[in-house]
């Protein structure tokens, strides 16, 4: 069992930065790839980034590559999403999730989810 709690969302102007955190409880965190997804109103949940168990491999959606960075601290059971050069189209609820393997981009390949944190980027 893994419980995930996100934090760090908020309102930011375009071009600004935010850092999201996701703290996991449970002993299986270090055995899981971890991903970030987002969902805007009226849209499907979409993949943002994923990191492997050891933290030395990552994969990004093309829409965020070069602007967002995913990282993890296994000692703190925490995964991060550093978001730079934010755009209004990045506005969404952001979710972290525990994956069934690395580099999956479909939400169906993730079995534990946090409650989400709102990110709003104003123009």
């Amino acid at each position: 069992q893994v419980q995930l709690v996100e934090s760090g969302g908020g309102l930011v102007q375009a071009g600004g930065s935010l850092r999201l955190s996701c703290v996991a409880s449970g002993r299986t965190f270090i055995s899981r790839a971890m991903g970030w997804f987002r969902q805007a109103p009226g849209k499907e949940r979409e993949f943002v980034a994923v990191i492997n168990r050891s933290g030395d491999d990552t994969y990004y959606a093309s829409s965020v590559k070069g602007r967002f960075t995913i990282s993890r601290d296994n000692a703190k059971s925490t995964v991060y999403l550093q978001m730079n050069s934010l755009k209004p189209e990045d506005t969404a609820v952001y979710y972290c999730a525990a994956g069934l393997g690395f580099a999956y981009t479909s939400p169906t390949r993730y079995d534990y989810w946090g409650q989400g944190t709102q990110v709003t980027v104003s123009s």
Side-chain angles (χ1 to χ4, degrees):
Q1 187 81 9
V2 178
Q3 293 181 324
L4 305 171
V5 179
E6 303 97 333
S7 63
L11 174 63
V12 63
Q13 289 188 334
S17 298
L18 282 175
R19 188 195 196 200
L20 306 184
S21 299
C22 172
V23 179
S25 62
R27 299 168 62 181
T28 60
F29 175 80
I30 60 173
S31 68
R32 297 297 202 103
M34 296 296 296
W36 285 96
F37 287 76
R38 65 187 182 186
Q39 188 167 18
K43 294 188 176 181
E44 293 186 352
R45 192 166 297 189
E46 66 171 354
F47 168 78
V48 174
V50 61
I51 189 166
N52 69 347
R53 295 178 295 177
S54 58
D56 59 1
D57 203 356
T58 57
Y59 182 72
Y60 296 91
S62 58
S63 58
V64 307
K65 193 172 185 179
R67 300 188 298 122
F68 290 10
T69 302
I70 188 172
S71 61
R72 69 190 293 164
D73 185 339
N74 285 342
K76 296 182 179 180
S77 296
T78 302
V79 61
Y80 305 97
L81 186 68
Q82 177 67 45
M83 305 186 295
N84 299 329
S85 302
L86 283 161
K87 305 175 181 179
E89 52 262 44
D90 294 319
T91 295
V93 177
Y94 283 72
Y95 300 88
C96 70
L100 297 172
F102 177 58
Y104 290 126
T105 61
S106 169
T108 62
R109 303 304 293 168
Y110 293 76
D111 56 353
Y112 294 104
W113 293 83
Q115 83 289 348
T117 186
Q118 176 71 47
V119 171
T120 303
V121 184
S122 63
S123 57

